[in-house]
Amino acid sequence: MALKAGTLTDFDNSMAQAMEEALAVLWQEKTGQPLGSAGEEDRRLMFVAIAQGVVKHLKDNAGAAFAVSVNVEQTGPWVSASGQTTSGHNHTVAVTQDNVVGNKVQSSGTGTVTLNTTGTLY
């Protein structure tokens, strides 16, 4: 699912709506009363502005903020099977690796996370 900041006219299923719902829960816990509709338009305007700012910031800084680095070390033997068709014949090859330190595979790499967003970011 894409990040959706929300707008005043497209509020449903947005980050701004999630903020409003969180406020309603906290308000109920704090006061013992439901949030109510007084000031709803101003609250929504504030939540939409905050959500749009958060999503824009995340999108603008995704490369640095969400760099992914993975290091994997094999801890045991593995078996791999692959199928190959040659001149109408199917072949399956299974490889078993001895479980000794020198045969274990070490791998590392990095990746980039791309943030999917919906709507116009201001």
Side-chain angles (χ1 to χ4, degrees):
M1 179 175 137
L3 290 176
K4 177 182 175 184
T7 66
L8 291 175
T9 57
D10 187 11
F11 195 75
D12 292 342
N13 300 311
S14 67
M15 185 183 293
Q17 182 184 30
M19 290 177 182
E20 183 178 64
E21 291 169 355
L23 176 64
V25 169
L26 292 171
W27 187 268
Q28 178 76 37
E29 290 175 0
K30 173 81 172 152
T31 67
Q33 302 292 321
L35 184 57
S37 61
E40 181 179 274
E41 186 175 344
D42 290 337
R43 279 194 314 268
R44 286 189 172 191
L45 179 65
M46 180 182 65
F47 291 139
V48 165
I50 292 169
Q52 287 181 2
V54 167
V55 170
K56 182 180 184 319
H57 180 78
L58 290 173
K59 184 172 181 170
D60 290 349
N61 296 285
F66 295 101
V68 176
S69 179
V70 179
N71 292 307
V72 179
E73 182 176 331
Q74 181 180 333
T75 58
W78 55 273
V79 175
S80 175
S82 62
Q84 180 181 7
T85 302
T86 307
S87 300
H89 297 86
N90 290 325
H91 305 279
T92 300
V93 177
V95 177
T96 303
Q97 185 178 42
D98 291 335
N99 188 16
V100 295
V101 174
N103 285 349
K104 293 182 182 174
V105 176
Q106 292 185 348
S107 178
S108 65
T110 59
T112 303
V113 174
T114 302
L115 296 179
N116 295 321
T117 59
T118 62
T120 303
L121 299 177
Y122 300 95

